Amino acid sequence: MVHRCRHLDGRLGDDNLQSMIVGTVMRKIKSRTWKKQRYFKLQEDCMTIWYKSKKAGNAHSTFSVNDVETVREGHQSEVLLSIADEFPPDRCFTLVFRGRRGNLDLVADSADEAQSWIKGMKKLIENLENMGESEKLDQWICEWFKKADKNNDGRMNFPEIRVLLKMMNVDMNEHHAHRLFMTADKSQTGTLEDDEFVLFYKMLTQREDVLRVFQDYSGDGQKLSLRDLEEFLRDEQLEEVDRVQQLAMELIERYEPSDTGTKMLKAMSIDGFLMYLASAEGSIFHPRQQSLYQDMTQPLNHYFISSSHNTYLMEDQLRGHSSVEGYIRALKRGCRCVEVDCWDGPNGEPIVYHGHTFTSKILFKDVVIALRNYAFKVSEYPVILSTENHCGVEQQRVMAQHLNTILGDKLLKSTLDGKIPVSFPSPEELKGKILLKGKKIGGLEESLNGPVEPEDSLTGEVSDEDEAADIDEDSLHSNSLRRMAKVGYWCVCGWVGACVCNCACFIQFNSRSFPQKSKQRLSKELSDCVVYCKSVHFSSFKHSRIHSKFYEISSFTESKARKHLREAGAEFVHHNARQLTRVYPSGLRTDSSNFNPQEMWNTGTQIVALNFQTAGVEMDLNDGLFSQNGRCGYVLKPDFMRMSERSFDPEVPINREGYRPLSLCIQVISGQQLPKVNIKESSVVDPFVRVEIHGVPLDQAKQETRYIDNNGFNPVWYDTLRFTIHAPELALVRFVVEDYDKASRNDFVGQYTLPFSCIQQGYRHIHLLSKDGTSIPPASLFVHVRITNLV
């Protein structure tokens, strides 16, 4: 049958998969008190897990194996740790989903049953990761066949085909659809099965756009000879001339289907050509820049660093759930700077939560354990642990003890060579190290020359980033809000007097009890854990230029950073050429929304902290910038932002030395298998594409194609969009597909964001991502890109 899982052929002998297909009763665990039995089984498509409650009658749920990122064995989640005394680790496992979906924690009745599912799921995930583009497309076809085959007879009649077309996002003329159906029905049974359905699909998806390009370069209209392909690679794809011949032979070997005679002739058929264009080599993102390609031996402050804000929060900033899972997810996305807010907890154990709010609490110790276990799974380069410390001296000592005992050699405890340094070490030199960012008694010089004696030196602000106090600065600057303060109530959402968010969280205060930045004693033990990232208060760029040490780092709220950018953009860039800077969201962003990180990258700010739990354009930009350089979490800043003798003002990029503007021309040709945004079977999208340029203010721009009526399956535009890029080293390009709606807001369909510097020219496919940043195969755009110098 077509809907049988092709990638499983020859593997059904796997005992674990056979056991999963038979099915297993397991406990689904949500908390220490919520444990329900569910019947789980693997569907025969080997892509879908089906499960139902014993008491829910016919109600059941499913999820795709493709949605599962990994399997964790044993007590490797907070939920399973909470019931560790009840169920042994060999019966427990966790399915971790892609994106922001919550984990699924399961307990089997025996260790053998748990192992069957653990090994079986790992096998299925590995199979999916090893699939080529053609196999992924086959699998996608199988999934749609199964959805449309309502009576499960392995055949498709024409009414089922019509339903399928709607489900696949295409509103095709019924006469045309019936003609294709009859052509594919070779057996003349009035139904399509197996190869007949594949034939129907191939006719349905015939790529006229790709065929046109193919025939432009084909000498005989039937194939691309080696010389034809070389010409295409040289003239259209702008591949390096000296490697075009070798590349052409490699592409034929790699993508030309082996069951044709074309490969023997050192030529490429239309099928091979399409497979090449749909591959990673035909992607808009240059494969060479997806690997680790940048110089990693420069000082740490010469890099943009992927950074998160209030990393422990999974939801909003007021009542959201705190979890070590936030750290695990951020680190697995390549984040290299995580934040922890520490407060005195019961039983002498420091706790982590968002102070002055109703967010849940976790142990600092558990955060440090998660850091130890996950810090270097994705990237070997250093992790910065940014602390907002509100603990008393005793629990600060406990914090220091946990950092030392749990992290061991991973915690950087002294300068690399034991000498007084004059500049930051490089990410390469700091591989495998965790750096604590926080307040420090004295400087590196004093700590290396001997202990700090005077007791007075232990007193001061233990945290430079008290966000509750920052709300005061962000919200009470206006006269109207100052007047409201006299009412006598402060809401933790930041509103004074009449709370507009109805969050039912008023706290009565007087002028002396409004949250203020804490001034208390700093533990020497915790101070000693801070080496290269000493938090200091920022006075001015002039003061910093004269007095500051390279290892001193200042933090700004987004509003303060914007003020500095407006008033002294070039000085801001100079400051960041010497020192690290961290910018974090306003305390008024109680919904965990994000500010635009591009504004801060334009100043050379290294640590731009975002709420990783919140999807949107801001996280798309963050993911886009750090998708290069092996996703290691570090991206080398442009040279004009690294050298203090160079001058660059992001507001006036045309004044910089070496200014060379570029022209970007993008022809949006077509779209393929765009996902539905409305669950109704009769609904079909009206897609259009918007191309956005994010960079210095002069480069900020967006243009759109027209929209196509009722076709998300294979819309065709051939619309050309043109942009001028003044600071290409800082620019990001974001492709967005939306469903046009003249009566209401357009619905998001998919997006893809990448650095301008990583674009491959020529005919390229763009493989779209969901709102969560996860792939949605086989949805893509087909474009032609050309970049030229502007004289």
Side-chain angles (χ1 to χ4, degrees):
M1 297 295 176
V2 169
H3 63 275
R4 269 236 9 138
C5 132
R6 295 182 181 182
H7 72 277
L8 195 70
D9 288 348
R11 296 174 189 162
L12 280 172
D14 187 307
D15 291 341
N16 296 317
L17 297 181
Q18 287 284 16
S19 176
M20 291 171 68
I21 288 171
V22 171
T24 310
V25 174
M26 293 186 281
R27 286 179 177 87
K28 179 181 177 181
I29 313 290
K30 284 190 176 180
S31 69
R32 190 168 177 80
T33 56
W34 197 103
K35 314 178 192 79
K36 302 287 177 70
Q37 285 196 322
R38 296 286 185 265
Y39 177 59
F40 290 84
K41 66 175 293 186
L42 175 66
Q43 303 283 68
E44 288 208 359
D45 65 357
C46 295
M47 282 295 296
T48 310
I49 306 295
W50 178 99
Y51 64 98
K52 69 177 290 188
S53 166
K54 279 191 165 182
K55 298 180 181 177
N58 293 324
H60 68 272
S61 301
T62 62
F63 61 85
S64 172
V65 173
N66 199 42
D67 294 335
V68 181
E69 182 181 295
T70 191
V71 185
R72 295 187 203 147
E73 298 186 51
H75 300 146
Q76 289 202 60
S77 74
E78 285 169 283
V79 170
L80 291 179
L81 280 169
S82 73
I83 50 95
D85 58 342
E86 191 175 349
F87 300 105
D90 60 2
R91 288 170 53 192
C92 302
F93 63 97
T94 302
L95 299 184
V96 181
F97 291 92
R98 301 181 191 281
R100 293 169 174 83
R101 179 174 172 177
N103 297 342
L104 178 58
D105 293 299
L106 298 170
V107 178
D109 285 344
S110 71
D112 287 343
E113 285 185 341
Q115 278 301 308
S116 285
W117 278 83
I118 290 166
K119 290 178 179 176
M121 286 298 299
K122 287 182 176 179
K123 179 77 169 179
L124 292 172
I125 293 168
E126 182 187 359
N127 289 344
L128 281 171
E129 288 174 348
N130 293 332
M131 269 190 191
E133 292 299 323
S134 179
E135 287 179 293
K136 287 179 184 176
L137 187 58
D138 284 349
Q139 188 62 53
W140 187 78
I141 299 169
C142 291
E143 288 177 18
W144 280 114
F145 186 99
K146 186 181 176 191
K147 287 177 186 176
D149 186 12
K150 299 295 187 184
N151 58 6
N152 294 314
D153 65 351
R155 302 166 183 268
M156 297 281 286
N157 57 36
F158 187 64
E160 287 177 320
I161 286 288
R162 288 183 62 194
V163 171
L164 174 64
L165 292 176
K166 289 282 187 184
M167 290 168 66
M168 294 176 86
N169 226 348
V170 58
D171 188 12
M172 184 177 285
N173 174 277
E174 186 172 338
H175 175 74
H176 179 60
H178 191 262
R179 182 170 57 81
L180 294 180
F181 180 89
M182 296 300 291
T183 304
D185 184 16
K186 300 294 186 183
S187 60
Q188 298 184 344
T189 59
T191 60
L192 304 182
E193 54 183 309
D194 294 335
D195 293 340
E196 292 176 338
F197 180 74
V198 173
L199 177 60
F200 173 79
Y201 180 82
K202 283 195 171 182
M203 289 190 292
L204 187 68
T205 57
Q206 187 170 352
R207 293 284 302 273
E208 296 293 340
D209 51 350
V210 173
L211 184 61
R212 182 189 297 187
V213 179
F214 179 84
Q215 290 180 336
D216 280 346
Y217 282 88
S218 170
D220 60 6
Q222 301 298 312
K223 64 182 183 301
L224 291 176
S225 66
L226 188 61
R227 182 171 292 181
D228 294 338
L229 185 55
E230 288 174 17
E231 184 183 357
F232 172 76
L233 294 172
R234 183 178 58 251
D235 296 350
E236 289 294 349
Q237 308 299 73
L238 302 187
E239 297 287 356
E240 297 170 17
V241 175
D242 58 353
R243 67 180 295 265
V244 158
Q245 185 177 24
Q246 180 64 30
L247 178 61
M249 290 191 290
E250 289 173 4
L251 294 179
I252 291 170
E253 184 62 32
R254 210 158 23 241
Y255 298 109
E256 179 56 29
S258 58
D259 58 352
T260 70
T262 316
K263 184 184 285 188
M264 302 290 292
L265 299 172
K266 291 187 179 179
M268 183 176 272
S269 66
I270 180 63
D271 288 338
F273 187 61
L274 181 54
M275 285 177 67
Y276 151 63
L277 288 176
S279 72
E281 289 174 285
S283 163
I284 193 169
F285 201 120
H286 203 301
R288 193 182 307 135
Q289 285 157 294
Q290 285 186 318
S291 59
L292 192 69
Y293 74 97
Q294 292 185 335
D295 176 9
M296 302 302 289
T297 64
Q298 300 208 25
L300 196 73
N301 60 312
H302 285 186
Y303 298 83
F304 294 121
I305 304 171
S306 179
S307 308
S308 67
H309 170 249
N310 288 353
T311 315
Y312 50 88
L313 285 179
M314 304 293 286
E315 301 159 21
D316 66 77
Q317 310 279 314
L318 288 177
R319 297 176 175 273
H321 178 55
S322 301
S323 171
V324 296
E325 196 65 38
Y327 293 90
I328 296 170
R329 291 186 181 188
L331 291 166
K332 289 178 75 173
R333 290 179 74 164
C335 181
R336 298 288 87 189
C337 180
V338 296
E339 185 183 17
V340 60
D341 293 2
C342 302
W343 300 80
D344 283 335
N347 306 315
E349 283 291 343
I351 55 173
V352 175
Y353 84 112
H354 199 205
H356 311 298
T357 71
F358 301 109
T359 58
S360 62
K361 302 171 177 68
I362 56 176
L363 292 175
F364 175 75
K365 175 173 62 178
D366 290 342
V367 172
V368 181
I369 290 170
L371 269 179
R372 178 194 65 194
N373 294 341
Y374 290 93
F376 305 108
K377 293 248 184 203
V378 169
S379 170
E380 298 177 282
Y381 293 105
V383 170
I384 298 171
L385 177 59
S386 178
T387 56
E388 186 178 307
N389 174 20
H390 303 274
C391 292
V393 170
E394 287 306 314
Q395 292 205 17
Q396 288 178 43
R397 289 183 178 130
V398 176
M399 288 171 61
Q401 182 183 353
H402 288 327
L403 288 167
N404 280 286
T405 57
I406 295 170
L407 297 180
D409 291 341
K410 288 186 173 73
L411 179 67
L412 188 76
K413 302 184 183 77
S414 65
T415 57
L416 292 181
D417 56 6
K419 298 177 182 177
I420 298 174
V422 294
S423 66
F424 270 110
S426 69
E428 189 67 31
E429 292 172 301
L430 291 167
K431 266 185 177 178
K433 293 297 182 183
I434 294 172
L435 284 61
L436 188 68
K437 171 190 163 296
K439 289 291 185 177
K440 184 174 179 65
I441 302 164
L444 270 182
E445 297 81 3
E446 292 92 335
S447 60
L448 288 170
N449 289 332
V452 179
E453 296 284 342
E455 195 71 16
D456 290 347
S457 64
L458 301 180
T459 303
E461 289 182 6
V462 296
S463 175
D464 203 42
E465 298 170 38
D466 187 338
E467 290 174 23
D470 285 327
I471 290 175
D472 184 26
E473 297 178 19
D474 282 343
S475 66
L476 295 184
H477 282 170
S478 73
N479 289 330
S480 61
L481 286 175
R482 282 201 192 93
R483 285 196 298 272
M484 289 170 67
K486 296 177 183 177
V487 174
Y489 290 91
W490 174 70
C491 171
V492 294
C493 69
W495 289 95
V496 182
C499 172
V500 298
C501 71
N502 298 316
C503 59
C505 53
F506 285 116
I507 299 173
Q508 193 165 15
F509 80 103
N510 57 42
S511 60
R512 286 170 296 184
S513 64
F514 194 96
Q516 298 295 322
K517 292 193 177 182
S518 53
K519 286 184 180 290
Q520 59 193 68
R521 294 182 64 195
L522 176 61
S523 145
K524 181 179 184 301
E525 291 86 348
L526 190 60
S527 168
D528 287 346
C529 293
V530 176
V531 182
Y532 289 114
C533 298
K534 176 185 176 180
S535 295
V536 298
H537 178 73
F538 178 81
S539 298
S540 68
F541 290 125
K542 180 179 179 181
H543 180 274
S544 173
R545 188 169 61 250
I546 298 170
H547 300 288
S548 292
K549 308 290 188 181
F550 78 88
Y551 54 81
E552 293 177 337
I553 172 172
S554 298
S555 296
F556 306 123
T557 61
E558 56 177 289
S559 53
K560 277 188 180 179
R562 282 196 200 96
K563 182 173 181 289
H564 292 314
L565 172 59
R566 285 194 305 269
E567 295 175 356
E571 282 192 85
F572 205 167
V573 175
H574 267 146
H575 174 85
N576 291 327
R578 300 187 308 271
Q579 293 174 250
L580 284 172
T581 297
R582 180 175 185 265
V583 175
Y584 58 96
S586 161
L588 296 179
R589 292 186 180 272
T590 56
D591 59 351
S592 293
S593 60
N594 284 309
F595 59 91
N596 182 355
Q598 186 69 52
E599 284 184 287
M600 307 309 159
W601 293 326
N602 290 343
T603 68
T605 296
Q606 301 89 346
I607 302 175
V608 181
L610 299 180
N611 291 302
F612 269 46
Q613 72 271 36
T614 305
V617 60
E618 298 84 7
M619 274 307 298
D620 291 345
L621 296 178
N622 194 79
D623 290 343
L625 175 66
F626 293 103
S627 60
Q628 62 183 311
N629 205 32
R631 296 183 181 270
C632 74
Y634 285 84
V635 169
L636 190 63
K637 296 198 290 185
D639 60 355
F640 54 80
M641 287 184 148
R642 307 194 303 263
M643 302 174 186
S644 54
E645 66 272 12
R646 299 279 288 274
S647 178
F648 173 70
D649 186 341
E651 299 290 327
V652 196
I654 60 176
N655 288 346
R656 77 173 169 93
E657 183 184 338
Y659 167 67
R660 290 186 188 87
L662 297 173
S663 171
L664 172 64
C665 177
I666 298 173
Q667 184 182 46
V668 181
I669 299 171
S670 64
Q672 294 76 45
Q673 289 88 50
L674 303 178
K676 289 171 70 74
V677 295
N678 193 312
I679 58 173
K680 292 181 181 177
E681 285 188 357
S682 60
S683 172
V684 176
V685 301
D686 303 324
F688 70 94
V689 179
R690 181 171 63 253
V691 178
E692 303 170 352
I693 308 298
H694 297 264
V696 296
L698 201 57
D699 287 342
Q700 295 287 132
K702 59 180 71 172
Q703 292 183 39
E704 297 174 353
T705 67
R706 62 208 154 85
Y707 70 89
I708 304 296
D709 276 320
N710 288 330
N711 188 354
F713 189 71
N714 54 2
V716 175
W717 290 279
Y718 281 104
D719 286 354
T720 300
L721 313 177
R722 290 184 171 85
F723 303 91
T724 297
I725 315 292
H726 298 274
E729 300 90 340
L730 288 169
L732 295 169
V733 183
R734 182 171 183 255
F735 296 84
V736 190
V737 182
E738 289 185 357
D739 178 16
Y740 175 77
D741 192 326
K742 62 184 176 185
S744 63
R745 186 176 179 179
N746 299 326
D747 287 319
F748 174 89
V749 175
Q751 68 84 29
Y752 189 82
T753 307
L754 79 164
F756 176 85
S757 59
C758 296
I759 288 177
Q760 286 201 105
Q761 298 188 61
Y763 287 99
R764 303 293 174 184
H765 276 95
I766 298 167
H767 300 282
L768 295 174
L769 304 176
S770 71
K771 193 169 287 187
D772 264 351
T774 57
S775 62
I776 43 176
S780 64
L781 297 175
F782 186 48
V783 299
H784 183 268
V785 182
R786 194 58 86 227
I787 298 169
T788 54
N789 290 311
L790 280 177
V791 180

